DNA sequence: AAATGTGGCAACCGCCTGCTA
DNA sequence: TTAGCAGGCGGTTGCCACATT
């Protein structure tokens, strides 16, 4: 592997000084953008009162570093500060379609740079989605905790039998998560198809349409959910004392699965962007389970079971 | 008050692509 | 046709500020 352009002897690395910023801005004002590799040897300070020797001082940065500094920090129109809720939602939606195409996402957010969006994603959104049990790569509920019907049918585990609750639950009930996931995936595929056939300029409109379809789908599922829940004694949505939003804020509970203790908020895989009914239902189930198994409600960590059996 | 941990962010690295001679 | 180069991009690093112990 050859030497990187920024490894050349004499070129500076690290944080930019105001003086360097000024040299870069002045150069671009005079010469315009482009020709980044020529920039360092041509960019000099023109501040009043400087000595000739000082003016001869070159911008000791490689062109690549100059381009990055300009596009990410000095370029006019850059919006700094906190991301708005609208921007936040747009990033999530665009990411669900485009993936880690930060420059493409940035093109849809005026004033935001790809680097800024990438940082925001990695430090904030990604963690938030993980906390909600959503895979930040696929934007789907984490499958390892989604397939409740397989849990229900599992020969290894039957937590409901353990708790004596099997008679309380309609097996169909556990199929809802997967059907919901399926509808979401179908909508996403439809969106991708439309995007490919119509071009990126329709992306946002498609996203809005997709959201509408998605909301309708969720509404249908929620209605089914309410009907099914109403058949379960002591497990109505109205009786939920545990708030899903509390889980989002870190007030997590725990539940027993296959003889192992898991953190509760990972049992909210269906919480996507508007699945409030599922949040509450799943939390209510967890509440029910943990209430019946207080002896297991101890400290826990997640991703790896707490206590092997 | 000092040590340690954590989060946020600017900047760098290395790979890829497209242009041009 | 192809090799070299510049620019673009996503992933990663390292520094700094703040929080916690």
């Amino acid at each position: 592997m050859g030497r990187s352009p920024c490894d050349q002897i004499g070129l500076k690395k690290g944080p930019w000084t105001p003086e360097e910023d000024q040299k870069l801005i002045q150069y671009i004002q005079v010469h315009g953008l482009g020709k980044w590799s020529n920039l360092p040897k041509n960019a000099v300070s023109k501040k009043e009162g400087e000595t000739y020797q000082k003016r001869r001082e070159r911008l000791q940065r490689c062109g690549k570093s100059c381009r990055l500094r300009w596009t990410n920090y000095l370029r006019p129109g850059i919006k700094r500060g906190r991301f708005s809720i609208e921007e936040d939602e747009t990033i999530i939606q665009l990411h669900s379609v485009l993936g880690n195409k930060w420059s493409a996402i940035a093109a849809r957010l005026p004033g935001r740079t790809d680097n800024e969006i990438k940082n925001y994603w990695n430090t904030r959104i990604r963690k938030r989605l993980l906390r909600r049990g959503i895979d930040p790569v696929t934007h789907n509920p984490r499958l390892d905790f989604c397939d409740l019907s397989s849990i229900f049918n599992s020969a290894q585990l039957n937590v409901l039998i353990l708790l004596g609750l099997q008679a309380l639950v309609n097996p169909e009930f556990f199929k809802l998560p997967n059907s919901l996931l399926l509808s979401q995936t179908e909508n996403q595929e439809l969106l991708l198809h439309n995007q490919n056939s119509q071009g990126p300029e329709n992306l946002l409109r498609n996203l809005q349409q997709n959201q509408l379809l998605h909301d309708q789908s969720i509404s249908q599922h929620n209605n089914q959910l309410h009907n099914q829940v109403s058949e379960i004694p002591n497990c109505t949505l109205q009786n939920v004392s545990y708030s899903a939003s509390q889980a989002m804020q870190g007030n997590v509970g725990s539940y027993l699965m296959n003889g192992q203790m898991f953190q509760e908020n990972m049992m909210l895989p269906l919480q996507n962007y508007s699945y409030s009914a599922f949040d509450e239902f799943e939390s209510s189930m967890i509440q029910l389970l943990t209430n019946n198994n207080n002896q297991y409600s101890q400290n826990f960590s997640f991703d790896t079971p707490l206590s092997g059996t």
Side-chain angles (χ1 to χ4, degrees), chain A residues 17-63:
Chain A
T17 65
E19 169 75 9
E20 289 174 315
D21 284 344
Q22 192 183 24
K23 286 180 185 175
L24 180 56
I25 291 168
Q26 285 176 346
Y27 176 85
I28 289 173
Q29 282 173 346
V30 173
H31 298 93
L33 296 174
K35 302 291 179 188
W36 295 106
S37 58
N38 292 336
L39 194 153
K41 60 176 176 281
N42 293 330
V44 296
S45 171
K46 293 179 180 172
K47 276 174 69 176
E48 288 297 322
E50 282 182 332
T51 64
Y52 174 78
Q53 186 62 34
K54 187 74 177 176
R55 286 187 186 183
R56 292 288 299 163
E57 197 175 279
R58 306 301 186 196
L59 181 55
Q60 301 294 330
R61 296 277 183 171
C62 71

Side-chain angles (χ1 to χ4, degrees), chain A residues 22 33 47 52 86 98 106 111 124 182 218:
Chain A
Q22 192 183 24
L33 296 174
K47 276 174 69 176
Y52 174 78
E86 290 76 19
L98 299 170
R124 311 278 184 87
L182 180 63
I218 290 184

Side-chain angles (χ1 to χ4, degrees), chain A residues 3 16-17 22 51 59 75 98 160 169 173 215 221 247 254:
Chain A
R3 181 191 286 270
W16 282 63
T17 65
Q22 192 183 24
T51 64
L59 181 55
R75 178 167 55 92
L98 299 170
L160 296 173
V169 182
F173 182 81
D215 290 345
H221 281 290
S254 59

Side-chain angles (χ1 to χ4, degrees), chain A residues 1-225:
Chain A
M1 191 60 65
R3 181 191 286 270
S4 160
C6 296
D7 285 342
Q8 292 171 40
I9 295 171
L11 293 185
K12 192 183 167 192
K13 289 188 194 177
W16 282 63
T17 65
E19 169 75 9
E20 289 174 315
D21 284 344
Q22 192 183 24
K23 286 180 185 175
L24 180 56
I25 291 168
Q26 285 176 346
Y27 176 85
I28 289 173
Q29 282 173 346
V30 173
H31 298 93
L33 296 174
K35 302 291 179 188
W36 295 106
S37 58
N38 292 336
L39 194 153
K41 60 176 176 281
N42 293 330
V44 296
S45 171
K46 293 179 180 172
K47 276 174 69 176
E48 288 297 322
E50 282 182 332
T51 64
Y52 174 78
Q53 186 62 34
K54 187 74 177 176
R55 286 187 186 183
R56 292 288 299 163
E57 197 175 279
R58 306 301 186 196
L59 181 55
Q60 301 294 330
R61 296 277 183 171
C62 71
K64 206 169 183 175
S65 180
C66 293
R67 181 178 58 80
L68 216 59
R69 181 65 178 174
W70 175 260
T71 55
N72 287 338
Y73 199 82
L74 298 175
R75 178 167 55 92
I78 292 216
K79 193 192 293 182
R80 312 207 73 81
R82 294 175 63 88
F83 281 74
S84 68
I85 294 172
E86 290 76 19
E87 287 176 316
D88 190 285
E89 290 173 351
T90 302
I91 291 170
I92 292 171
Q93 292 195 334
L94 288 170
H95 187 274
S96 71
V97 177
L98 299 170
N100 291 0
K101 303 291 183 188
W102 306 117
S103 57
I105 295 172
R108 292 285 172 184
L109 287 167
R112 299 295 188 181
T113 69
D114 54 356
N115 204 39
E116 195 178 12
I117 293 169
K118 179 173 61 181
N119 284 333
Y120 184 64
W121 177 271
N122 287 329
T123 58
R124 311 278 184 87
I125 299 177
R126 187 174 172 279
K127 291 175 185 174
R128 193 168 72 224
L129 294 182
L130 284 171
R131 274 201 306 273
R132 295 182 182 184
I134 298 169
D135 187 326
V137 177
T138 64
H139 288 254
N140 287 326
R142 288 174 58 156
L143 293 176
D144 46 341
F145 290 97
C146 177
D147 192 358
L148 299 181
S149 58
S150 68
I151 293 168
F152 186 81
N153 294 324
S154 166
Q156 290 181 320
L157 152 77
N158 208 323
V159 66
L160 296 173
I161 289 174
L162 182 71
L163 300 173
L165 293 173
Q166 71 276 25
L168 303 180
V169 182
N170 180 345
E172 286 299 309
F173 182 81
F174 289 99
K175 295 179 181 174
L176 282 170
N178 282 340
S179 57
L180 179 62
L181 173 59
L182 180 63
S183 73
Q184 183 190 2
T185 305
E186 285 169 349
N187 285 341
Q188 205 162 55
E189 287 168 355
L190 177 64
L191 173 65
L192 282 171
H193 173 75
N194 288 340
Q195 185 199 352
N196 290 337
S197 60
Q198 298 171 18
E201 65 276 6
N202 291 318
L203 179 60
L204 287 178
R205 184 151 44 93
N206 285 334
L207 283 170
Q208 288 165 353
Q209 290 171 353
N210 181 58
Q211 185 65 44
L212 186 62
L213 287 171
H214 192 52
D215 290 345
Q216 289 169 349
S217 172
I218 290 184
S219 177
Q220 285 179 359
H221 281 290
N222 285 349
N223 288 337
Q224 291 176 36
L225 176 66

